[in-house]
Structure formats: C-alpha cells, structure tokens
Amino acid sequence: MRIVLQRVSEASVDVIDPSTNNVDPTFAKQTIGTGYVLLVGVADTDGQRDIDWLAGKIARLRVFEDAGGHMNESITQHDGEILSISQFTLYGNIRKGNRPSFIAAGEPEHAKRVWLAFNEALRAQGLTVKEGRFGAHMRVSLVNDGPVTLVVDTAEVLGE
C-alpha cells in the first residue's frame, strides 16, 4: 500500500457527477477538522499484513505538536479525525512517455476491499474515519497544517 498522509486543520470531500460535472447529490459531503487526509493506493500484492501495520503506525505516529511546539503527539492525543480517499494514481509510473501507466495499481475489486478493510482497521484503533467514494471523481479540499506531508509505502517498509 502506498499512502500520502497530510496533517490538516480541516478537510472535506465531495463526489462529482461525471455527466453534469456538478456535486453528486447521492453522496453526503464528508468533512473533518484536525487530523489526517490519507490518499490511499493499493497494489494487488497488498493484504492484511499491510493493513494492520499501516493502521497501527498511523494511530501511533507522532506528528502533532506538544505544548513545547515539538512534533511529539499522536492523532489520538488531539482527538483527530481521518479523511480516507482511495487513489489508484499513487501507483502511476511516469518513467516512459508522457502518459502515466497504472499497471502497478491494484485491480479495482481487490483495491476496494483492501481500502475498506484498512478504514475499518483504523476505526478499530479508536479513530474516526470518514471516506470518499471508491472509484469516483472527487474534489478534495484541505488545509495542510505545518505543512506536514509524509509518504509511506509498505513495500519499502515490509520488504514486499
């Protein structure tokens, strides 16, 4: 799994109806305050080991400032929320040509299952998780706090 984690002071996501290019009325806008926006990419090789490791790491990650101004506190210490957005383009390869190749991105059925299981694993860590809509055209708005942005790839960390 490949995740871009952004510490935010606020964020939201809307789903866009491709036929009208307007906000899709069947999706309730999801909004969070302090917390993380997670852009989540899934590969076909990703599974429970990746999910468990990432959920635990994100819950314990100390990137919120303490009273002394040092990044020393976790999202749980700040009653933070998570906005999780599926994003297959994180596996885009731009080495050749000018059009990205997404061959490394997970098959949609697998990727959706892993993404949803990951969101549940975050909830099991005691975190409030709001979601975009898998496979949809979305508009994500956020205020990056810091800015703090981290990239995590379980293939690098877990050696897959």
Side-chain angles (χ1 to χ4, degrees):
M1 292 175 71
R2 193 172 285 168
I3 291 184
V4 174
L5 177 151
Q6 296 176 293
R7 187 181 75 186
V8 298
S9 56
E10 61 185 72
S12 65
V13 63
D14 279 312
V15 171
I16 304 305
D17 181 336
S19 64
T20 65
N21 205 32
N22 293 321
V23 173
D24 184 340
T26 68
F27 181 85
K29 181 177 191 169
Q30 300 295 296
T31 303
I32 66 167
T34 298
Y36 298 143
V37 169
L38 302 179
L39 305 177
V40 183
V42 177
D44 282 330
T45 56
D46 294 330
Q48 197 61 50
R49 181 176 180 221
D50 304 89
I51 291 166
D52 293 342
W53 185 87
L54 274 170
K57 180 61 79 173
I58 288 168
R60 294 184 306 273
L61 193 63
R62 299 184 323 175
V63 296
F64 285 89
E65 294 177 0
D66 62 17
H70 300 95
M71 287 199 306
N72 199 31
E73 294 183 346
S74 70
I75 188 171
T76 56
Q77 291 172 283
H78 285 260
D79 294 322
E81 301 172 288
I82 290 177
L83 181 58
S84 179
I85 308 294
S86 65
Q87 188 164 353
F88 77 95
T89 61
L90 291 178
Y91 280 96
N93 183 331
I94 58 170
R95 289 183 190 122
K96 294 183 182 178
N98 294 316
R99 181 185 296 181
S101 168
F102 300 107
I103 198 164
E107 290 295 321
E109 186 176 299
H110 171 75
K112 183 176 183 178
R113 187 173 55 252
V114 169
W115 175 65
L116 291 172
F118 170 65
N119 293 339
E120 287 306 314
L122 290 168
R123 289 181 182 106
Q125 296 282 334
L127 297 166
T128 298
V129 180
K130 297 185 179 177
E131 303 171 347
R133 179 184 287 164
F134 185 89
H137 180 132
M138 294 174 274
R139 289 195 183 140
V140 179
S141 299
L142 61 94
V143 177
N144 193 323
D145 183 25
V148 174
T149 302
L150 302 169
V151 178
V152 182
D153 191 328
T154 58
E156 293 175 5
V157 177
L158 300 176
E160 297 171 353

